[in-house]
Amino acid sequence: MKNFKRSIALAITIIILFTGVVFAQEAKTDPNYEYLQRVKEYIMARYKGEITDTQILEGALRKIIEKNPELLEQAIEGMFGTLDQHSTFFYQDQYEQFSTAVDGQFGGIGITVAKRDGNITVLTTLESTPAQRAGLKSGDKIIYINDVDVSAYEVEMAVPLMRGEPGTSVRLGIKREGNDKIIYFDIVRDLIKINPISFEVKQGNIGYIKISDFNANTEEYMQKALTVFDSQKIKKVIIDVRNNPGGSLEQVVEVAKHFVPNRGAIVHIEYKDNQKQTYYSDLQKTKYEVVVLINEGSASASEILAGAIQDSKAGKIVGVKSFGKGTVQEVLPLRVGGAIKMTIARYLTPNGRAIDGDGIHPDIEVKNIKKKVDANTLEKLSYTVKPTLGDKGKDVLAAEQRLKLLGYDVDEPDEILDEKTFKAIKDFQAEQKLFSYGVLDITTQIALNNAVQDVEIEVDKQLEKAMELLSK
């Protein structure tokens, strides 16, 4: 056990903040466990020498692991099952997925895929990636990966085959609309960065930044967004961390430095030995008027940013009470594979507030509302024509409006039945068990109209309030 601990101590430590969900199970009485307990109690009651409960149980565990080394991972998993909900053991595949989320990068070709019409289908090719340079297109169906037929694979089975070390190659066999033969692409993998930032300039010259999570690239892309805003002399900014589960402590501190003035505190980290570490901003005066949007899905690093801006009076917090995850975890890769993630500290806002289990309370509470789609606001379907690829007209606009409400990718609805709309119609037809051929026939039009009758859309009152505050 001591050698095992020493081996773990050599691992690289990564401090992160992340929301984890662990479902507690009801304690069940196991006959074998009960029997083991009785043997232990007998030893403790009758043994003449010096012994402790811990020594007895460690002896049992040692013997089991010696005889059954394959149970080591399960033993570690059991140890972490006794800790808090954010402390956990990762098996190797789980750790790789977790690391990709935190690191914000992976070796791959740069595409997003989904299962469509029974095939792994390219949804998008990311900008300046090997896939885009090779000529892959949205709608391409992946039939072969390195000569392996993946036409019946699920997404989670196919994606790992396309990922790998940067500089290595992968061969894809693609079925493309309009081509009878399989097209082959030999693509050299590259390091793909995950961009967690999206931004735009809204009406009234208000900058809007959405942060999906705090991975290792967040500050880099935040800086790019703010550079664009500065070039357009934008001084009012909305930061949206709704449904942001958290991420890197280092990254959220760097992001907060753009907004927390007076070289003030950003967050206090309080460890088990009661020692504290405080991270400070190096900004004297902020250049932006800020509103931060939060909701019940804003957790951990998101709450650090919101708490720092709230306590420093650098901006207003709008929305509903956040998740309330105020602890810090340490991740250690294990020599046996996988990793452990364990709570080692809690964090406090600049004013010393501990928000674990409570959350950040907004300065202005605003709840979003849902309402059914008002069919009168949509273009009407005429049921008189059957548009197909390349056709134009009001029926196409009406269909695209409905497809977009149903979650299909048709870009901004217009009157042109382009390739994206054609594909969306085919996908809709397949899901409705209609003949999937992309023609907007009368049966498909009726099905589209019926499909949106019970659709509810969320009215973003929180964003509306943020726009109102910054428009004054």
Side-chain angles (χ1 to χ4, degrees):
M1 184 63 73
K2 289 182 180 178
N3 289 335
F4 180 62
K5 289 180 179 177
R6 279 198 293 269
S7 297
I8 293 177
L10 297 175
I12 297 172
T13 299
I14 307 168
I15 301 296
I16 61 161
L17 301 104
F18 231 93
T19 301
V21 179
V22 176
F23 297 97
Q25 296 181 337
E26 288 185 13
K28 295 181 179 178
T29 303
D30 186 310
N32 291 327
Y33 182 75
E34 267 193 356
Y35 185 77
L36 188 66
Q37 283 289 98
R38 287 178 181 175
V39 173
K40 178 182 72 74
E41 288 166 5
Y42 174 78
I43 293 171
M44 293 298 294
R46 305 287 293 171
Y47 180 61
K48 180 66 172 68
E50 297 291 328
I51 195 74
T52 66
D53 281 28
T54 301
Q55 289 171 324
I56 293 172
L57 293 176
E58 281 187 351
L61 179 62
R62 187 183 306 112
K63 194 67 176 178
I64 291 170
I65 298 302
E66 284 175 359
K67 294 290 187 181
N68 305 276
E70 71 278 5
L71 297 180
L72 178 58
E73 288 183 336
Q74 293 180 37
I76 299 171
E77 185 179 18
M79 290 165 65
F80 275 78
T82 66
L83 306 182
D84 69 286
Q85 62 176 334
H86 303 301
S87 299
T88 189
F89 168 75
F90 293 124
Y91 288 93
Q92 184 60 34
D93 57 340
Q94 296 171 326
Y95 177 50
E96 288 172 2
Q97 294 175 18
F98 180 81
S99 295
T100 296
V102 174
D103 296 341
Q105 59 186 26
F106 59 90
I109 62 174
I111 58 174
T112 61
V113 296
K115 196 76 176 283
R116 294 284 186 270
D117 296 334
N119 290 114
I120 305 298
T121 304
V122 177
L123 297 181
T124 58
T125 57
L126 304 182
E127 188 177 353
S128 301
T129 61
Q132 189 179 72
R133 291 191 291 269
L136 288 183
K137 295 181 179 180
S138 173
D140 284 346
K141 298 185 185 303
I142 301 173
I143 308 301
Y144 295 102
I145 302 176
N146 288 333
D147 299 322
V148 175
D149 187 345
V150 297
S151 54
Y153 279 31
E154 296 300 323
V155 170
E156 58 270 18
M157 297 167 63
V159 168
L161 299 179
M162 291 184 281
R163 291 187 177 180
E165 288 296 316
T168 60
S169 296
V170 60
R171 182 175 174 84
L172 299 187
I174 299 296
K175 187 175 181 181
R176 181 172 288 172
E177 191 80 36
N179 288 76
D180 294 331
K181 296 182 179 179
I182 300 293
I183 309 170
Y184 287 93
F185 295 84
D186 291 301
I187 305 173
V188 178
R189 299 180 180 98
D190 201 351
L191 192 63
I192 307 300
K193 281 189 174 183
I194 302 170
N195 178 7
I197 298 282
S198 59
F199 66 94
E200 63 179 298
V201 179
K202 292 190 174 289
Q203 185 178 358
N205 213 33
I206 296 172
Y208 170 84
I209 300 174
K210 171 69 176 176
I211 309 176
S212 61
D213 63 85
F214 288 92
N215 70 21
N217 307 317
T218 306
E219 162 59 12
E220 176 187 343
Y221 287 103
M222 171 63 81
Q223 183 62 63
K224 290 179 179 179
L226 294 177
T227 298
V228 172
F229 289 173
D230 290 346
S231 70
Q232 299 180 32
K233 296 182 169 49
I234 290 172
K235 302 297 182 185
K236 298 180 178 183
V237 176
I238 298 169
I239 304 172
D240 189 347
V241 291
R242 291 176 296 181
N243 299 315
N244 180 324
S248 164
L249 172 61
E250 177 187 15
Q251 289 291 306
V252 70
V253 166
E254 291 304 310
V255 168
K257 286 179 180 180
H258 293 290
F259 307 104
V260 174
N262 304 319
R263 295 191 172 89
I266 293 171
V267 64
H268 309 290
I269 307 296
E270 185 179 76
Y271 296 94
K272 184 176 181 178
D273 55 7
N274 291 323
Q275 291 187 358
K276 284 185 182 179
Q277 180 179 7
T278 300
Y279 292 86
Y280 292 93
S281 172
D282 49 19
L283 184 68
Q284 183 58 50
K285 184 178 180 181
T286 182
K287 65 175 80 170
Y288 307 108
E289 186 180 346
V290 176
V291 173
V292 179
L293 297 178
I294 63 171
N295 67 1
E296 60 280 350
S298 304
S300 196
S302 301
E303 294 170 297
I304 285 179
L305 179 62
I309 288 177
Q310 188 175 54
D311 283 5
S312 66
K313 311 258 184 236
K316 295 288 186 184
I317 312 299
V318 171
V320 295
K321 184 170 72 69
S322 63
F323 182 86
K325 194 250 178 192
T327 56
V328 182
Q329 281 70 46
E330 178 180 74
V331 176
L332 292 96
L334 302 181
R335 65 174 176 82
V336 295
I340 55 177
K341 176 168 71 82
M342 186 174 71
T343 299
I344 61 164
R346 67 171 182 165
Y347 71 78
L348 309 173
T349 69
N351 288 350
R353 290 182 291 155
I355 62 95
D356 196 47
D358 184 27
I360 298 291
H361 294 255
D363 299 308
I364 303 171
E365 184 173 4
V366 180
K367 294 181 180 179
N368 288 343
I369 62 172
K370 288 188 176 181
K371 67 176 184 180
K372 283 193 174 183
V373 174
D374 183 357
N376 294 322
T377 64
L378 303 177
E379 190 71 36
K380 294 190 185 310
L381 287 158
S382 69
Y383 305 125
T384 59
V385 294
K386 298 192 294 183
T388 188
L389 183 64
D391 288 345
K392 301 179 181 179
K394 296 294 185 183
D395 284 277
V396 177
L397 173 62
E400 288 183 332
Q401 288 175 339
R402 287 159 176 78
L403 286 165
K404 187 166 186 177
L405 285 170
L406 294 168
Y408 294 92
D409 182 12
V410 293
D411 291 332
E412 194 60 33
D414 53 23
E415 298 185 7
I416 304 170
L417 205 158
D418 58 16
E419 289 186 3
K420 268 194 174 180
T421 303
F422 186 74
K423 179 180 178 302
I425 293 170
K426 287 184 65 176
D427 289 343
F428 173 77
Q429 289 169 330
E431 290 182 16
Q432 294 290 314
K433 295 183 171 43
L434 303 173
F435 179 51
S436 178
Y437 68 134
V439 176
L440 190 58
D441 57 31
I442 309 306
T443 302
T444 302
Q445 292 179 37
I446 292 171
L448 271 173
N449 217 36
N450 290 337
V452 298
Q453 294 303 313
D454 295 323
V455 170
E456 288 188 328
I457 57 173
E458 186 171 72
V459 181
D460 198 342
K461 291 291 184 182
Q462 294 163 348
L463 180 57
E464 287 179 12
K465 185 63 178 179
M467 293 287 292
E468 176 191 324
L469 289 171
L470 294 176
S471 297
K472 293 179 179 178

